[in-house]
Amino acid sequence: NTASCSQTVTVIDNQLPTITCPANTTVNANTGQCFATAVSLGTPTTSDNCGIANTTNNAPTQYNVGTTTVVWTTTDVNGNTASCSQTVTVIDNQLPTITCPANTTVNANTGQCFATAVSLGTPATSDNCGIANTTNNAPTQYNVGTTTVVWTTTDVNGNTASCNQTVTVIDNQLP
């Protein structure tokens, strides 16, 4: 006499896959832009006891100046996942531009050997990421002769550029 029965043996894959991200990367911003595109991220190293189904990341197409974290996720054939993070740092190494106002010539103040309240004008500035400030070393009083005023512009990432403007004071007063 015999009897039989069925037994189901279920093997569960509860082992997570492994993933090692590519090295962190640093790139320069695209020329004239405040971001980088076409950044080469590399390829993560993955493995699993049953096999990898796919590996994805959340990388943007455009990386702004600064640091962006890219999260890589690998999924095995049984739905287990593992993740790692890679950073992409974009550097703004592009200098701002500055064009000084025109050189200026003024007469000395009446009864003085200097000029005050000289109108210098405004320099033209631009930058791929934006200008933080523009300053000059102009004195409050310009002696007769020529004084060089140095204008400096600084972008939002600390890059600077300078130009020179001259102020000529003429003594046209008779003794």
Side-chain angles (χ1 to χ4, degrees), residues 10-84:
T10 303
V11 177
I12 299 172
D13 174 15
N14 60 4
Q15 296 178 46
L16 299 179
T18 61
I19 184 168
T20 303
C21 275
N24 296 335
T25 187
T26 300
V27 297
N28 292 325
N30 294 5
T31 302
Q33 302 298 325
C34 199
F35 57 82
T37 55
V39 174
S40 177
L41 297 176
T43 305
T45 303
T46 61
S47 68
D48 185 69
N49 60 316
C50 293
I52 298 293
N54 65 52
T55 300
T56 60
N57 66 48
N58 67 343
T61 56
Q62 177 177 300
Y63 298 84
N64 292 329
V65 167
T67 301
T68 301
T69 300
V70 175
V71 177
W72 290 86
T73 302
T74 190
T75 305
D76 71 14
V77 295
N78 293 301
N80 298 306
T81 63
S83 298
C84 64

Side-chain angles (χ1 to χ4, degrees), residues 131 138 169:
I131 298 294
V169 177

Side-chain angles (χ1 to χ4, degrees), residues 7-165:
Q7 178 183 18
T8 302
V9 176
T10 303
V11 177
I12 299 172
D13 174 15
N14 60 4
Q15 296 178 46
L16 299 179
T18 61
I19 184 168
T20 303
C21 275
N24 296 335
T25 187
T26 300
V27 297
N28 292 325
N30 294 5
T31 302
Q33 302 298 325
C34 199
F35 57 82
T37 55
V39 174
S40 177
L41 297 176
T43 305
T45 303
T46 61
S47 68
D48 185 69
N49 60 316
C50 293
I52 298 293
N54 65 52
T55 300
T56 60
N57 66 48
N58 67 343
T61 56
Q62 177 177 300
Y63 298 84
N64 292 329
V65 167
T67 301
T68 301
T69 300
V70 175
V71 177
W72 290 86
T73 302
T74 190
T75 305
D76 71 14
V77 295
N78 293 301
N80 298 306
T81 63
S83 298
C84 64
S85 296
Q86 173 187 23
T87 60
V88 175
T89 302
V90 178
I91 297 172
D92 171 21
N93 62 355
Q94 298 172 53
L95 299 179
T97 61
I98 184 169
T99 302
C100 276
N103 296 333
T104 188
T105 300
V106 297
N107 292 324
N109 293 4
T110 302
Q112 303 296 325
C113 196
F114 58 82
T116 57
V118 174
S119 177
L120 296 176
T122 304
T125 61
S126 68
D127 185 69
N128 60 313
C129 291
I131 298 294
N133 64 56
T134 301
T135 60
N136 66 50
N137 67 345
T140 55
Q141 176 178 304
Y142 297 84
N143 293 328
V144 167
T146 301
T147 302
T148 300
V149 175
V150 179
W151 289 87
T152 302
T153 190
T154 304
D155 73 13
V156 295
N157 293 302
N159 298 306
T160 62
S162 297
C163 65
N164 296 332
Q165 175 187 25

